[in-house]
Structures are given as structure tokens and as C-alpha cells.
Amino acid sequence: MLNQQEDGENGFELVDKPKEGNINEGPTPLPAWINPPTSLPLNLMAGPPPLVLPAGQLFPTTSTPTVGNSQFFTGQSGLQSQTSLNLPILLPISPITEVGETHHNVPAATSDLEICVLESPLAAHEKNIADPLNEQPSKGSGLFGWMKEAMPGKAILAKVAEKARSSVDTMITTLDPQMKEFIYSGGDIDIAVASTKELKVSSVREAFQTVFGKATVKGYESQSVGTAAQPVGFASALQAARERIANLRSSGSVPPQQPVVSVEGFVVELFSDNWFEMNCLLLEDPVRNISVQVFSQPLMVPANAVARMRNCTTDSYPLRQSGFAVTVGQAVAEEFNVPATEWQIALTGISRRDILLLAAKTLANSYKS
């Protein structure tokens, strides 16, 4: 309907015209074939009850939740509503007295308040998603796991342990050299030395322990009675070494099957008027039927010392055929005023122990092979 304004100006206003007849206020009634709506269950309207955590648990978990009210869902309508919301369904269960195949993860002897969890489709889907906070490290993870997988037989770990042990042994033997004999003694190698001189025994011990890893080496008193005090030539030196071994075995100090090493020093004229000192090392093993002999490097003997040895060996000396009556060390000590047992290092710069050690290592490697 259009109305004209009173001030004479032209204008229009839209006015709704009420409909004729009875007017019904309120919502339009539903058709007869549609059921009237039902009210929601009271337990859903009130919301879920508070969680009651077991003793010692700080945070709730999705696998074993516990509620204070076991009557969280009642009736079929509540079950349908819960399923549509993709929430876990909590139902009270009876106490568990035995662990069966279907409940192998449930501990025995649980209380009446234990709650069984029926997972919804959404919960089952979320279960397959790995939790980075609760994920357990797999077997062989980490640096050491990679090392074990990359190195079959754990060879690298064995090398690290052997290196650490070797470093500790080196430190101990450096601080106390006498500990070397105890650390490296033992094993399957047992060697007897036909001499009690520490110079000879320690050289043979270090050589065999270096070659075999561990070895027991002991010295026993033994002398050669059929050769001169200072053997001359290779044959006399070898004969003197054999006599030392034979005298040691006959004394009963060592078992008959005991491997024995004999060390014998001698002088030899390799060239005209050129004399040298050398050492003969002989090893005899009756069980394996092994006899090994090696000779050390030669060291030149001064001519004055050779002349003194000849002058001290008279015609009446009974063992003159095998050598001299005085040793080369005694002759050099009298001529040059140096220690009789250390004249090698005083005149040549090389100790006799170093010479014997090299020869003993050669002997040990020959015996090992």
C-alpha cells in the first residue's frame, strides 16, 4: 500500500497488509509420517565424568583409561551416540583371575574397578600412528647398533677393547718394568733358558712374548763343561749350547719334554786378523722334534783384546782346542777399562741385550712357523 507524506513532497512508503483470517503463532507442525524428536540422554547432556587415574600414574593414556563412574553409558541410545562421536566405549568388567589368550596384555588379579576399552574405528586408526614420545628404540639403533650391523662379528669392538687393554698394559709396564713379566706370562708356550743371567733370560722372554702374545720363560743354572771359557768358531759355539741343554735336562730341573733355549757367545775370525763376537741361540723341543739355531749379528773385536786372549791361553790349558781361557769381555775390559758385560755398547753403541733380542725374535718366529 502506498501512502503520501503530509508535507506535500512526493514520496512513497511500503506498508504490509495483514492477511485475513485466523493467524497461528508458533512452529509449523510436522507431518504425520515424521516421528517427534526425542531428548538427549542425561549422561551426554551432563558431559563425561572426571577421570580417575591409578596410583602412580600422572597422565591419562589412551590404552588403559579409568573413570570414576562405571555407568558412563547406559542403554542402546548411549551406545549409538558414542559410536557416532568416535569416542571409546567404557563398560565395567568382572575381575580377571586368569590370563587367557585373548587377554594376554591384561595383568592377573585386577580389581572390580578395572574398565574394559572398546576401541572405535577412529581409535583403531590412531593406534597405527607411531607416537614419537612413546616410541621405543628399535634393536640395533644408535651408533653402537650401527657398528654391530656394519661390522660382522663385532670385529671393530674387539679391536677397540684390545687397543684399550694394550694401552693400559703399556702404561703399567712403563711405570714398573718388572710388571711386564707378570702381565705377559702364561699361555701355551713354556720355555726354559739354560742360564740364570738376566741379560739372556729377559731377552728370550721378551722375544717369545712379542711373537706369541703370552709365554712363560724361566732361567735355570747350567754350564758347558766340554768347551773352553770363550768358544772359538761356529762348531765350538754350537757344541757349548748343546752341552748346556744336556746338563740342564740331566739335572732334573725341567721335565723331559720341556722346550729349552741355550745362548752361547763366541768369537770367530771371519777374515785374516779380523775377529768378531757373535752369539749362538739354540732351541730344542723333544715333543715336536724341533731343533732351531740362529746366530746374531757380528761385532768387531779390537785386535788388542784378541792378543790378550791368546796370551792368557797357555799350552797347558786342557780345552785349548775349542777356544780361549778368558772371555772376550774380560780381555776388552782390561784393555779399554770398560765394564766386561757392557763393552759392546761402550765400543759400538749397541748393547748385547739388543743384539740378543733381535736374534731371539728370529728364533721365536722360526719356532712358531
Side-chain angles (χ1 to χ4, degrees):
M1 178 179 182
L2 300 177
N3 292 332
Q4 187 176 5
Q5 295 182 356
E6 295 178 358
D7 54 3
E9 296 179 358
N10 294 327
F12 298 93
E13 180 181 1
L14 295 176
V15 179
D16 292 335
K17 183 178 180 180
K19 297 179 181 180
E20 296 180 359
N22 295 332
I23 300 175
N24 296 328
E25 296 180 356
T28 304
L30 296 174
W33 53 273
I34 298 178
N35 296 328
T38 59
S39 60
L40 294 175
L42 296 178
N43 50 8
L44 290 181
M45 297 178 62
L51 293 177
V52 178
L53 301 178
Q57 183 175 346
L58 300 179
F59 302 98
T61 60
T62 58
S63 60
T64 57
T66 307
V67 298
N69 185 9
S70 63
Q71 304 297 331
F72 185 78
F73 293 103
T74 57
Q76 183 67 21
S77 61
L79 181 60
Q80 295 176 355
S81 301
Q82 178 63 12
T83 305
S84 62
L85 293 177
N86 291 327
L87 295 177
I89 302 174
L90 308 181
L91 297 175
I93 63 174
S94 60
I96 301 175
T97 57
E98 295 181 358
V99 180
E101 296 181 356
T102 58
H103 302 287
H104 61 276
N105 293 328
V106 181
T110 55
S111 63
D112 294 340
L113 295 179
E114 286 290 334
I115 304 301
C116 176
V117 179
L118 302 179
E119 294 183 352
S120 63
L122 180 60
H125 173 71
E126 293 177 352
K127 184 177 180 180
N128 297 328
I129 301 177
D131 188 359
L133 297 179
N134 296 329
E135 184 178 1
Q136 298 294 333
S138 60
K139 182 178 180 181
S141 62
L143 176 60
F144 286 98
W146 174 83
M147 292 169 61
K148 291 180 180 180
E149 295 176 359
M151 303 296 295
K154 306 178 181 63
I156 188 172
L157 299 180
K159 290 182 179 180
V160 171
E162 179 64 22
K163 186 65 176 178
R165 186 189 65 82
S166 177
S167 300
V168 173
D169 293 345
T170 302
M171 179 186 65
I172 294 175
T173 55
T174 301
L175 298 176
D176 188 1
Q178 296 180 353
M179 288 296 296
K180 184 181 296 185
E181 177 181 355
F182 299 96
I183 293 176
Y184 297 105
S185 295
D188 298 332
I189 304 301
D190 189 2
I191 302 296
V193 180
S195 176
T196 55
K197 293 182 179 180
E198 184 62 24
L199 179 67
K200 297 180 179 181
V201 176
S202 62
S203 300
V204 175
R205 179 187 296 117
E206 183 176 348
F208 275 81
Q209 290 178 349
T210 302
V211 173
F212 291 95
K214 283 190 175 183
T216 301
V217 180
K218 295 182 180 180
Y220 300 89
E221 181 63 30
S222 181
Q223 297 293 335
S224 60
V225 295
T227 56
Q230 180 60 70
V232 177
F234 292 93
S236 297
L238 186 58
Q239 179 182 354
R242 288 173 178 171
E243 287 181 359
R244 287 179 181 270
I245 296 177
N247 292 336
L248 178 60
R249 294 190 186 279
S250 62
S251 65
S253 301
V254 296
Q257 68 275 11
Q258 176 74 45
V260 181
V261 174
S262 178
V263 181
E264 190 67 39
F266 67 99
V267 293
V268 60
E269 187 179 11
L270 297 179
F271 307 102
S272 178
D273 295 332
N274 290 316
W275 289 77
F276 297 86
E277 188 216 31
M278 299 180 66
N279 297 273
C280 174
L281 284 76
L282 175 64
L283 184 149
E284 291 186 354
D285 186 349
V287 176
R288 299 177 178 84
N289 194 20
I290 296 176
S291 180
V292 182
Q293 57 187 10
V294 297
F295 297 91
S296 68
Q297 70 179 67
L299 291 180
M300 190 168 186
V301 179
N304 296 340
V306 176
R308 179 172 289 273
M309 287 189 293
R310 284 176 176 174
N311 296 332
C312 294
T313 305
T314 63
D315 295 339
S316 60
Y317 183 61
L319 301 176
R320 184 177 180 180
Q321 297 297 327
S322 60
F324 298 124
V326 296
T327 63
V328 63
Q330 293 175 352
V332 173
E334 293 176 359
E335 289 291 332
F336 297 95
N337 194 22
V338 293
T341 57
E342 298 178 359
W343 70 268
Q344 294 89 348
I345 192 172
L347 297 183
T348 64
I350 301 175
S351 66
R352 189 188 183 195
R353 188 185 187 281
D354 293 339
I355 297 174
L356 291 179
L357 179 60
L358 292 176
K361 287 183 178 180
T362 304
L363 181 69
N365 279 283
S366 300
Y367 177 62
K368 183 178 182 180
S369 60

